[in-house]
Amino acid sequence: MSIRQWPAAERPREKLLAQGAGALSDAELLAIFLRTGVAGKSAVALARDLITDFGGLRAMLRADLAGFSAARGLGPAKYAQLQAVLELARRHLAEELQRGDALSDPLAAERFLRARLRDLDHEVFAALFLDAQHRVLAFEVLAHGTIDGAAVYPREVVKAALRHHAAALIFAHNHPSGVVEPSAADRALTERLRQALATIDVRVLDHLVIGEGVPASFAARGWL
């Protein structure tokens, strides 16, 4: 039976319009994106199979062009559409941190940083630069690394803070392993950066470690 023959309350699109996107399962949301199924399978059934085959929705969203396009019912056109949707989501989160806006909601920074860093397959160290009123000045990636590390130099971070005329920073880096627990090296680096930035009167407000689940916050743990 095709989705068009389902009761209206069970069709993903109608269900979304009536109850909101949060009421839909991963497969139902993906089915709306797919629009159509394949021979012998509805869009919802195909979506369930794809999520299972990829090992989860997030793994599917992270797939490269070749891996994504090789799956039944997908292809380069769908890959392009999906990347556009993901980029729209990132830009939507970035609008919460528009230049000149006061950072009144710390969770907005967390959502933005998670969206930018969580799904990378290599380690990246980045910072949000803020003025004295904690208004966002800029976001900048300060270092790219391998699967397990990124070289961060305090002198370059100080230069970046001066370039952006920052009064405060929020650091963030990702752990590609998914484990958010900060390492001893993470703590040591943060302390070196804090000391270097203190010489130019720039405060480090937090350092977030991004991975699976809730990011680890140095500030919440009393480490800053």
Side-chain angles (χ1 to χ4, degrees):
M1 179 185 296
S2 71
I3 290 178
R4 291 180 182 179
Q5 296 173 296
W6 293 7
E10 296 179 15
R11 299 175 202 160
R13 186 178 299 140
E14 285 76 2
K15 185 176 178 181
L16 184 150
L17 293 174
Q19 302 179 40
L24 275 64
S25 67
D26 290 348
E28 290 171 327
L29 289 169
L30 182 57
I32 293 176
F33 170 77
L34 294 172
R35 297 183 61 188
T36 60
V38 295
K41 286 186 180 180
S42 68
V44 173
L46 175 60
R48 291 195 188 106
D49 287 350
L50 288 170
I51 291 172
T52 299
D53 292 345
F54 276 96
L57 180 62
R58 185 179 169 201
M60 179 181 174
L61 299 181
R62 294 179 64 184
D64 60 17
L65 174 59
F68 184 91
S69 300
R72 188 184 184 196
L74 302 179
K78 288 290 185 189
Y79 182 81
Q81 291 173 15
L82 181 60
Q83 294 307 306
V85 169
L86 293 174
E87 183 59 25
L88 282 172
R90 295 187 192 102
R91 295 185 186 189
H92 167 70
L93 291 173
E95 285 188 358
E96 295 186 63
L97 300 174
Q98 285 287 349
R99 183 182 180 93
D101 287 347
L103 192 60
S104 57
D105 179 8
L107 289 179
E110 181 181 307
R111 288 190 294 268
F112 171 75
L113 292 166
R114 286 185 70 202
R116 291 296 300 263
L117 304 181
R118 187 182 68 171
D119 292 328
L120 299 177
D121 58 6
H122 60 283
E123 194 163 311
V124 165
F125 190 92
L128 278 175
F129 295 86
L130 311 172
D131 68 10
Q133 286 74 46
H134 295 176
R135 292 176 298 199
V136 176
L137 297 172
F139 167 81
E140 183 176 336
V141 172
L142 299 170
H144 292 268
T146 60
I147 190 71
D148 59 358
V152 183
Y153 301 102
R155 180 175 61 183
E156 298 304 317
V157 176
V158 168
K159 286 182 180 178
L162 291 171
R163 185 171 64 252
H164 292 298
H165 305 288
L169 284 83
I170 296 175
F171 290 123
H173 78 279
N174 64 311
H175 282 176
S177 66
V179 178
V180 300
E181 186 62 27
S183 66
D186 293 336
R187 294 189 65 178
L189 171 63
T190 304
E191 180 58 22
R192 290 200 302 273
L193 293 175
R194 187 192 67 77
Q195 292 178 5
L197 289 163
T199 64
I200 58 169
D201 295 322
V202 174
R203 294 180 57 206
V204 178
L205 301 181
D206 204 350
H207 183 169
L208 299 173
V209 182
I210 310 295
E212 298 290 348
V214 179
S217 164
F218 279 46
R221 297 187 181 198
W223 294 348
L224 288 171

